[in-house]
Amino acid sequence: MITYKYSAQTASGEKKTDVIEAVDQFDAVSRIKEHYPIVLSIEEVKKTKVDEVLAIQLTNPVTPKYLSLMCKQFAIILKAGIPVGQSIRMVASQTKNKHIKAELMKASEDVMRGNTLANSFRKNCPDFPETLIETVNSGEVSGTIDKAFEALSNLYDKTYKLKQKIRSAFAYPLFIIAIAIVVLIIVMAFVVPNLTKSFMTLGGELPLITRILIGMSQFFAKYWMVIFAVIAVGILIHFIYTHTGQGKLNWAKFMLKAPVVGNLNILHGTEQFSTTMSSMIKSGLMLDRALEVTAKVMDNYALKQEVASMVDKIRTGHTLSDSINASPYFPDILKTMVGVGEQTGELEVTLDTMTEYYSNEYDVASSKTLSVLEKVILILLALFAGFIVISIYLPMFTIYDLM
């Protein structure tokens, strides 16, 4: 969107100076004339480099929460019979994010020129996920675009709640670990060196556990740059490796088989699969296209590849049940229920049931995992604190003997 500064006049002769955002100058003039019949002057407001940088920094990504709300608005407005182009403008007017608002206004202009809504989104809204665009396209073809937006709203609402569930579940353990690391650094960098000086001035032989603590402190003080360099190099190597095709696949497979988190990742991936597939089928997509879109939204790369490989099997005449049974990752319950859903013609309902089932399974599994993790963290913290306290208090007896 381009910002214009204009001066206009009402029918009674009153002058007005203001700014307006529009696709181009013609669009700006037509919108100004809706309120002021006489446009005296109009010029584009040139943006400085600072404005461009700030605009980039303040641009927020399209979140599942926003997508859910936006799709709900579209579903309600379109059900009321309002034209698509006008519907987009109405949704854009409710959008606080200026970047997304500008994209929606451009899409509105494209629709009013005769383009389809899906193509307009694909051309003007690069922040929108492929899931949304493909579903909208299917809704336009089948004439059920309002139902497509309703299905999308439910999908993104479930996605948002799932991500919030994961964040809230792991927030506390990560916070405790971060605090423990900070305390460790403070103790090793400041507390122990001062105590070491006090012990050394008094002479005498220190207990073994105290000498170990002092040795650790001196090691960290002397080689802390090397330690951080090794950690940084390790992170860089891991980043580079996991951004190669084979490396990304191997890491994704490891995350599905790893102790503790492996089961959580499988449950999360299964819930993603059943939720997205159910929404895509409800919105009118054929099974192969639904699988293509679902593959794009899977978080785990190995599951993404697995779902993508099912597309060719479906197109060569295999059923979804046959395709998913060949997967080594998805649970047997899902495989069985998909087969039942296909045989009874109730695949959507079955997938909805699986979504609810695996959502509950994930909640139970994550609660158990976090309970164990919290206990392990507390035990490690207690051992660490005990080691520090004993290392400091044992030499006190030596000090009393030397006094």
Side-chain angles (χ1 to χ4, degrees), residues 68 71-72 147-160 275 279 282:
S68 175
C71 291
K72 191 69 175 178
K147 292 182 180 178
F149 274 116
E150 188 72 39
L152 284 169
S153 177
N154 294 331
L155 170 64
Y156 291 123
D157 181 58
K158 291 177 181 177
T159 302
Y160 169 72
T275 300
S279 298
K282 283 179 183 177

PDB file of all heavy atoms in Angstrom, residues 68 71-72 147-160 275 279 282:
ATOM      1  N   SER A  68      -7.297 -17.944  12.379  1.00  0.00           N
ATOM      2  CA  SER A  68      -8.580 -18.474  12.841  1.00  0.00           C
ATOM      3  C   SER A  68      -9.632 -17.374  12.902  1.00  0.00           C
ATOM      4  O   SER A  68     -10.767 -17.552  12.431  1.00  0.00           O
ATOM      5  CB  SER A  68      -8.411 -19.122  14.214  1.00  0.00           C
ATOM      6  OG  SER A  68      -9.653 -19.545  14.726  1.00  0.00           O
ATOM      7  N   CYS A  71     -10.488 -16.118   9.229  1.00  0.00           N
ATOM      8  CA  CYS A  71     -11.327 -17.066   8.489  1.00  0.00           C
ATOM      9  C   CYS A  71     -12.750 -17.087   9.040  1.00  0.00           C
ATOM     10  O   CYS A  71     -13.717 -17.240   8.276  1.00  0.00           O
ATOM     11  CB  CYS A  71     -10.717 -18.464   8.537  1.00  0.00           C
ATOM     12  SG  CYS A  71      -9.178 -18.617   7.605  1.00  0.00           S
ATOM     13  N   LYS A  72     -12.891 -16.916  10.358  1.00  0.00           N
ATOM     14  CA  LYS A  72     -14.218 -16.858  10.960  1.00  0.00           C
ATOM     15  C   LYS A  72     -14.972 -15.628  10.452  1.00  0.00           C
ATOM     16  O   LYS A  72     -16.170 -15.703  10.129  1.00  0.00           O
ATOM     17  CB  LYS A  72     -14.092 -16.795  12.484  1.00  0.00           C
ATOM     18  CG  LYS A  72     -15.401 -16.997  13.230  1.00  0.00           C
ATOM     19  CD  LYS A  72     -15.884 -18.430  13.068  1.00  0.00           C
ATOM     20  CE  LYS A  72     -17.124 -18.695  13.912  1.00  0.00           C
ATOM     21  NZ  LYS A  72     -17.632 -20.073  13.711  1.00  0.00           N
ATOM     22  N   LYS A 147     -18.149 -22.410   3.775  1.00  0.00           N
ATOM     23  CA  LYS A 147     -17.853 -23.607   4.552  1.00  0.00           C
ATOM     24  C   LYS A 147     -16.346 -23.866   4.594  1.00  0.00           C
ATOM     25  O   LYS A 147     -15.812 -24.368   5.594  1.00  0.00           O
ATOM     26  CB  LYS A 147     -18.579 -24.819   3.962  1.00  0.00           C
ATOM     27  CG  LYS A 147     -20.094 -24.751   4.107  1.00  0.00           C
ATOM     28  CD  LYS A 147     -20.750 -25.996   3.538  1.00  0.00           C
ATOM     29  CE  LYS A 147     -22.274 -25.912   3.701  1.00  0.00           C
ATOM     30  NZ  LYS A 147     -22.943 -27.107   3.113  1.00  0.00           N
ATOM     31  N   ALA A 148     -15.661 -23.517   3.496  1.00  0.00           N
ATOM     32  CA  ALA A 148     -14.207 -23.671   3.464  1.00  0.00           C
ATOM     33  C   ALA A 148     -13.550 -22.789   4.520  1.00  0.00           C
ATOM     34  O   ALA A 148     -12.642 -23.225   5.241  1.00  0.00           O
ATOM     35  CB  ALA A 148     -13.672 -23.322   2.073  1.00  0.00           C
ATOM     36  N   PHE A 149     -14.015 -21.544   4.626  1.00  0.00           N
ATOM     37  CA  PHE A 149     -13.460 -20.637   5.635  1.00  0.00           C
ATOM     38  C   PHE A 149     -13.826 -21.107   7.051  1.00  0.00           C
ATOM     39  O   PHE A 149     -13.035 -20.944   7.983  1.00  0.00           O
ATOM     40  CB  PHE A 149     -13.974 -19.216   5.408  1.00  0.00           C
ATOM     41  CG  PHE A 149     -13.149 -18.435   4.421  1.00  0.00           C
ATOM     42  CD1 PHE A 149     -13.701 -18.004   3.222  1.00  0.00           C
ATOM     43  CD2 PHE A 149     -11.827 -18.120   4.705  1.00  0.00           C
ATOM     44  CE1 PHE A 149     -12.940 -17.281   2.311  1.00  0.00           C
ATOM     45  CE2 PHE A 149     -11.060 -17.397   3.798  1.00  0.00           C
ATOM     46  CZ  PHE A 149     -11.616 -16.974   2.602  1.00  0.00           C
ATOM     47  N   GLU A 150     -15.004 -21.687   7.209  1.00  0.00           N
ATOM     48  CA  GLU A 150     -15.408 -22.217   8.514  1.00  0.00           C
ATOM     49  C   GLU A 150     -14.482 -23.356   8.933  1.00  0.00           C
ATOM     50  O   GLU A 150     -14.038 -23.428  10.094  1.00  0.00           O
ATOM     51  CB  GLU A 150     -16.856 -22.711   8.444  1.00  0.00           C
ATOM     52  CG  GLU A 150     -17.449 -23.116   9.781  1.00  0.00           C
ATOM     53  CD  GLU A 150     -17.748 -21.925  10.676  1.00  0.00           C
ATOM     54  OE1 GLU A 150     -18.211 -20.883  10.170  1.00  0.00           O
ATOM     55  OE2 GLU A 150     -17.485 -22.055  11.892  1.00  0.00           O
ATOM     56  N   ALA A 151     -14.178 -24.246   7.967  1.00  0.00           N
ATOM     57  CA  ALA A 151     -13.272 -25.361   8.254  1.00  0.00           C
ATOM     58  C   ALA A 151     -11.873 -24.858   8.583  1.00  0.00           C
ATOM     59  O   ALA A 151     -11.209 -25.375   9.489  1.00  0.00           O
ATOM     60  CB  ALA A 151     -13.228 -26.315   7.057  1.00  0.00           C
ATOM     61  N   LEU A 152     -11.432 -23.833   7.853  1.00  0.00           N
ATOM     62  CA  LEU A 152     -10.109 -23.262   8.111  1.00  0.00           C
ATOM     63  C   LEU A 152     -10.039 -22.616   9.493  1.00  0.00           C
ATOM     64  O   LEU A 152      -9.031 -22.717  10.194  1.00  0.00           O
ATOM     65  CB  LEU A 152      -9.760 -22.226   7.039  1.00  0.00           C
ATOM     66  CG  LEU A 152      -9.336 -22.778   5.683  1.00  0.00           C
ATOM     67  CD1 LEU A 152      -9.288 -21.661   4.647  1.00  0.00           C
ATOM     68  CD2 LEU A 152      -7.965 -23.453   5.774  1.00  0.00           C
ATOM     69  N   SER A 153     -11.116 -21.940   9.867  1.00  0.00           N
ATOM     70  CA  SER A 153     -11.164 -21.310  11.183  1.00  0.00           C
ATOM     71  C   SER A 153     -11.000 -22.346  12.294  1.00  0.00           C
ATOM     72  O   SER A 153     -10.238 -22.147  13.241  1.00  0.00           O
ATOM     73  CB  SER A 153     -12.487 -20.559  11.362  1.00  0.00           C
ATOM     74  OG  SER A 153     -12.570 -19.999  12.653  1.00  0.00           O
ATOM     75  N   ASN A 154     -11.707 -23.469  12.156  1.00  0.00           N
ATOM     76  CA  ASN A 154     -11.590 -24.540  13.145  1.00  0.00           C
ATOM     77  C   ASN A 154     -10.188 -25.139  13.158  1.00  0.00           C
ATOM     78  O   ASN A 154      -9.637 -25.441  14.227  1.00  0.00           O
ATOM     79  CB  ASN A 154     -12.622 -25.641  12.857  1.00  0.00           C
ATOM     80  CG  ASN A 154     -14.042 -25.160  13.054  1.00  0.00           C
ATOM     81  OD1 ASN A 154     -14.296 -24.266  13.854  1.00  0.00           O
ATOM     82  ND2 ASN A 154     -14.981 -25.738  12.315  1.00  0.00           N
ATOM     83  N   LEU A 155      -9.600 -25.302  11.959  1.00  0.00           N
ATOM     84  CA  LEU A 155      -8.256 -25.870  11.850  1.00  0.00           C
ATOM     85  C   LEU A 155      -7.228 -24.986  12.558  1.00  0.00           C
ATOM     86  O   LEU A 155      -6.430 -25.470  13.377  1.00  0.00           O
ATOM     87  CB  LEU A 155      -7.878 -26.036  10.376  1.00  0.00           C
ATOM     88  CG  LEU A 155      -6.414 -26.392  10.093  1.00  0.00           C
ATOM     89  CD1 LEU A 155      -6.070 -27.760  10.667  1.00  0.00           C
ATOM     90  CD2 LEU A 155      -6.126 -26.346   8.599  1.00  0.00           C
ATOM     91  N   TYR A 156      -7.239 -23.691  12.262  1.00  0.00           N
ATOM     92  CA  TYR A 156      -6.232 -22.801  12.846  1.00  0.00           C
ATOM     93  C   TYR A 156      -6.481 -22.579  14.340  1.00  0.00           C
ATOM     94  O   TYR A 156      -5.531 -22.326  15.089  1.00  0.00           O
ATOM     95  CB  TYR A 156      -6.205 -21.475  12.093  1.00  0.00           C
ATOM     96  CG  TYR A 156      -5.658 -21.618  10.690  1.00  0.00           C
ATOM     97  CD1 TYR A 156      -6.402 -21.217   9.572  1.00  0.00           C
ATOM     98  CD2 TYR A 156      -4.407 -22.182  10.475  1.00  0.00           C
ATOM     99  CE1 TYR A 156      -5.900 -21.368   8.293  1.00  0.00           C
ATOM    100  CE2 TYR A 156      -3.901 -22.345   9.194  1.00  0.00           C
ATOM    101  CZ  TYR A 156      -4.655 -21.941   8.109  1.00  0.00           C
ATOM    102  OH  TYR A 156      -4.157 -22.098   6.835  1.00  0.00           O
ATOM    103  N   ASP A 157      -7.732 -22.680  14.747  1.00  0.00           N
ATOM    104  CA  ASP A 157      -8.016 -22.577  16.172  1.00  0.00           C
ATOM    105  C   ASP A 157      -7.415 -23.764  16.924  1.00  0.00           C
ATOM    106  O   ASP A 157      -6.797 -23.593  17.992  1.00  0.00           O
ATOM    107  CB  ASP A 157      -9.531 -22.535  16.397  1.00  0.00           C
ATOM    108  CG  ASP A 157      -9.896 -22.397  17.865  1.00  0.00           C
ATOM    109  OD1 ASP A 157      -9.461 -21.405  18.494  1.00  0.00           O
ATOM    110  OD2 ASP A 157     -10.601 -23.276  18.380  1.00  0.00           O
ATOM    111  N   LYS A 158      -7.549 -24.957  16.366  1.00  0.00           N
ATOM    112  CA  LYS A 158      -6.950 -26.142  16.986  1.00  0.00           C
ATOM    113  C   LYS A 158      -5.428 -26.063  16.959  1.00  0.00           C
ATOM    114  O   LYS A 158      -4.755 -26.449  17.924  1.00  0.00           O
ATOM    115  CB  LYS A 158      -7.428 -27.413  16.252  1.00  0.00           C
ATOM    116  CG  LYS A 158      -8.902 -27.731  16.467  1.00  0.00           C
ATOM    117  CD  LYS A 158      -9.314 -28.944  15.648  1.00  0.00           C
ATOM    118  CE  LYS A 158     -10.803 -29.241  15.836  1.00  0.00           C
ATOM    119  NZ  LYS A 158     -11.258 -30.383  14.985  1.00  0.00           N
ATOM    120  N   THR A 159      -4.872 -25.561  15.848  1.00  0.00           N
ATOM    121  CA  THR A 159      -3.417 -25.415  15.736  1.00  0.00           C
ATOM    122  C   THR A 159      -2.881 -24.457  16.789  1.00  0.00           C
ATOM    123  O   THR A 159      -1.860 -24.711  17.433  1.00  0.00           O
ATOM    124  CB  THR A 159      -3.036 -24.896  14.334  1.00  0.00           C
ATOM    125  OG1 THR A 159      -3.538 -25.798  13.341  1.00  0.00           O
ATOM    126  CG2 THR A 159      -1.525 -24.781  14.188  1.00  0.00           C
ATOM    127  N   TYR A 160      -3.598 -23.334  16.961  1.00  0.00           N
ATOM    128  CA  TYR A 160      -3.179 -22.338  17.952  1.00  0.00           C
ATOM    129  C   TYR A 160      -3.216 -22.922  19.366  1.00  0.00           C
ATOM    130  O   TYR A 160      -2.271 -22.756  20.145  1.00  0.00           O
ATOM    131  CB  TYR A 160      -4.097 -21.122  17.861  1.00  0.00           C
ATOM    132  CG  TYR A 160      -3.928 -20.144  19.010  1.00  0.00           C
ATOM    133  CD1 TYR A 160      -2.802 -19.341  19.110  1.00  0.00           C
ATOM    134  CD2 TYR A 160      -4.914 -20.040  20.003  1.00  0.00           C
ATOM    135  CE1 TYR A 160      -2.644 -18.460  20.177  1.00  0.00           C
ATOM    136  CE2 TYR A 160      -4.774 -19.166  21.054  1.00  0.00           C
ATOM    137  CZ  TYR A 160      -3.635 -18.370  21.142  1.00  0.00           C
ATOM    138  OH  TYR A 160      -3.480 -17.512  22.184  1.00  0.00           O
ATOM    139  N   THR A 275      -6.130 -33.687  12.279  1.00  0.00           N
ATOM    140  CA  THR A 275      -6.807 -32.388  12.294  1.00  0.00           C
ATOM    141  C   THR A 275      -6.835 -31.766  10.906  1.00  0.00           C
ATOM    142  O   THR A 275      -7.885 -31.306  10.431  1.00  0.00           O
ATOM    143  CB  THR A 275      -6.087 -31.423  13.271  1.00  0.00           C
ATOM    144  OG1 THR A 275      -6.107 -31.977  14.576  1.00  0.00           O
ATOM    145  CG2 THR A 275      -6.781 -30.070  13.292  1.00  0.00           C
ATOM    146  N   SER A 279     -10.085 -31.259   8.198  1.00  0.00           N
ATOM    147  CA  SER A 279     -10.471 -29.919   7.729  1.00  0.00           C
ATOM    148  C   SER A 279     -10.418 -29.821   6.218  1.00  0.00           C
ATOM    149  O   SER A 279     -11.291 -29.208   5.592  1.00  0.00           O
ATOM    150  CB  SER A 279      -9.557 -28.863   8.355  1.00  0.00           C
ATOM    151  OG  SER A 279      -9.674 -28.864   9.754  1.00  0.00           O
ATOM    152  N   LYS A 282     -13.377 -31.762   4.690  1.00  0.00           N
ATOM    153  CA  LYS A 282     -14.621 -31.021   4.926  1.00  0.00           C
ATOM    154  C   LYS A 282     -14.775 -29.841   3.973  1.00  0.00           C
ATOM    155  O   LYS A 282     -15.881 -29.484   3.571  1.00  0.00           O
ATOM    156  CB  LYS A 282     -14.662 -30.512   6.364  1.00  0.00           C
ATOM    157  CG  LYS A 282     -15.001 -31.558   7.399  1.00  0.00           C
ATOM    158  CD  LYS A 282     -14.982 -30.947   8.796  1.00  0.00           C
ATOM    159  CE  LYS A 282     -15.258 -31.998   9.852  1.00  0.00           C
ATOM    160  NZ  LYS A 282     -15.166 -31.423  11.218  1.00  0.00           N
TER     161      LYS A 282
END
